[in-house]
Amino acid sequence: MRLSTFKYLPGQLALAMVIFGLWEIAVKAGYLSAYLYGFPSGIAARAYDLTMSGEIFGHAAVTALAAVIGFVIGSTLGSFLGLSLWLNETVAKIVRPFIVAINGVPKIAFAPLIIVWFGIGIESKIAIAAALTLIVSLIATYNGTLETDKDLLRLMRSLGATRLQMWRTVVVPAAVPWMLSALRLNVGFALIGAVVGEYISSQSGLGYLVYYSGVLYDLNGVWVGIIALMVVALLMDRAVTELDRRMRW
């Protein structure tokens, strides 16, 4: 891990301390209701309890597993389909309206159907995460193929290169930055898919923890679940950043 990673850490910690400090003061002074907003010391106490019992790690593992598997499946399949569309312009024009239509519909609307199709286990959470990430990678990657240097393609065509050869040697490499950008977006979408699935039907996972804590008006527990989701998102984003660095190198 590079030293520059920690360059802004002191400032980030200071900002977090200021925010939590003001929050705690506002609750203690009566400006905010602990019942409605929770408070940092209560969040810390709840986090300690969940950590000591190991419950938070179990929930985090379930959500992370579903999000990561869905992320890999959706991003890989979406990138492959996006790249493949460039090979056949006719097919691309035929399916484009359907892609636009599906992209325009909030993918969360398909969650109840996926729960019915895949059941209430982790498979449905993976499927929702994969569905959300697939469309993002597909559109981003296909747009990346369309931005390939036209002069270079004309040069290769004049030299007798086939469309498949141009795709393999020019189009795919040109689309890689777009694919990597889609991966960063998909970190959030994969977690959204996993958490929404846990909201609808689950007995474990961070989404379940947040939902169940909210039902009980345990706002401190809700914040613990949210913070745990942030940690998972940061770890996934860090993995994508490392992949980005290696591929660009």
Side-chain angles (χ1 to χ4, degrees):
M1 188 174 295
R2 293 173 294 178
L3 186 61
S4 58
T5 304
F6 302 99
K7 181 178 179 180
Y8 301 104
L9 184 59
Q12 293 165 346
L13 291 176
L15 177 60
M17 290 177 65
V18 169
I19 292 174
F20 285 117
L22 291 175
W23 184 0
E24 184 79 18
I25 292 171
V27 171
K28 297 300 184 184
Y31 295 111
L32 293 177
S33 169
Y35 178 73
L36 294 178
Y37 298 96
F39 55 102
S41 58
I43 295 171
R46 186 77 174 104
Y48 178 81
D49 292 338
L50 290 171
T51 301
M52 289 298 100
S53 67
E55 187 177 349
I56 190 67
F57 299 113
H59 289 308
V62 170
T63 300
L65 181 63
V68 169
I69 295 176
F71 172 86
V72 172
I73 293 174
S75 299
T76 301
L77 184 57
S79 297
F80 175 76
L81 292 174
L83 290 171
S84 300
L85 283 177
W86 186 88
L87 289 171
N88 194 311
E89 188 175 352
T90 300
V91 172
K93 289 183 177 181
I94 290 174
V95 302
R96 183 177 177 82
F98 296 96
I99 296 174
V100 173
I102 294 174
N103 186 52
V105 176
K107 266 64 71 180
I108 301 302
F110 296 107
L113 292 174
I114 293 176
I115 295 293
V116 172
W117 294 338
F118 291 89
I120 63 175
I122 193 173
E123 294 83 2
S124 58
K125 286 68 176 177
I126 293 173
I128 297 173
L132 266 65
T133 54
L134 184 150
I135 193 68
V136 173
S137 284
L138 192 160
I139 292 175
T141 303
Y142 179 61
N143 287 337
T145 65
L146 298 180
E147 294 298 321
T148 305
D149 190 334
K150 302 297 188 299
D151 292 333
L152 183 56
L153 292 175
R154 279 193 289 268
L155 175 61
M156 292 193 66
R157 191 178 296 112
S158 67
L159 295 174
T162 64
R163 192 169 182 84
L164 181 60
Q165 289 173 327
M166 291 188 291
W167 178 81
R168 187 177 64 252
T169 59
V170 177
V171 175
V172 172
V176 167
W178 295 74
M179 294 164 59
L180 293 173
S181 297
L183 291 182
R184 290 188 176 278
L185 292 174
N186 279 344
V187 168
F189 283 111
L191 284 171
I192 289 172
V195 169
V196 167
E198 291 167 357
Y199 269 26
I200 296 175
S201 63
S202 182
Q203 292 185 331
S204 60
L206 294 175
Y208 167 79
L209 174 62
V210 171
Y211 175 77
Y212 188 70
S213 297
V215 169
L216 298 178
Y217 283 89
D218 176 13
L219 274 298
N220 293 324
V222 171
W223 280 113
V224 171
I226 292 173
I227 293 171
L229 281 169
M230 291 179 181
V231 173
V232 173
L234 287 173
L235 292 175
M236 291 179 65
D237 182 75
R238 180 62 194 174
V240 172
T241 299
E242 186 63 23
L243 176 64
D244 187 353
R245 186 181 69 83
R246 291 179 180 275
M247 292 190 69
R248 291 182 188 277
W249 179 263

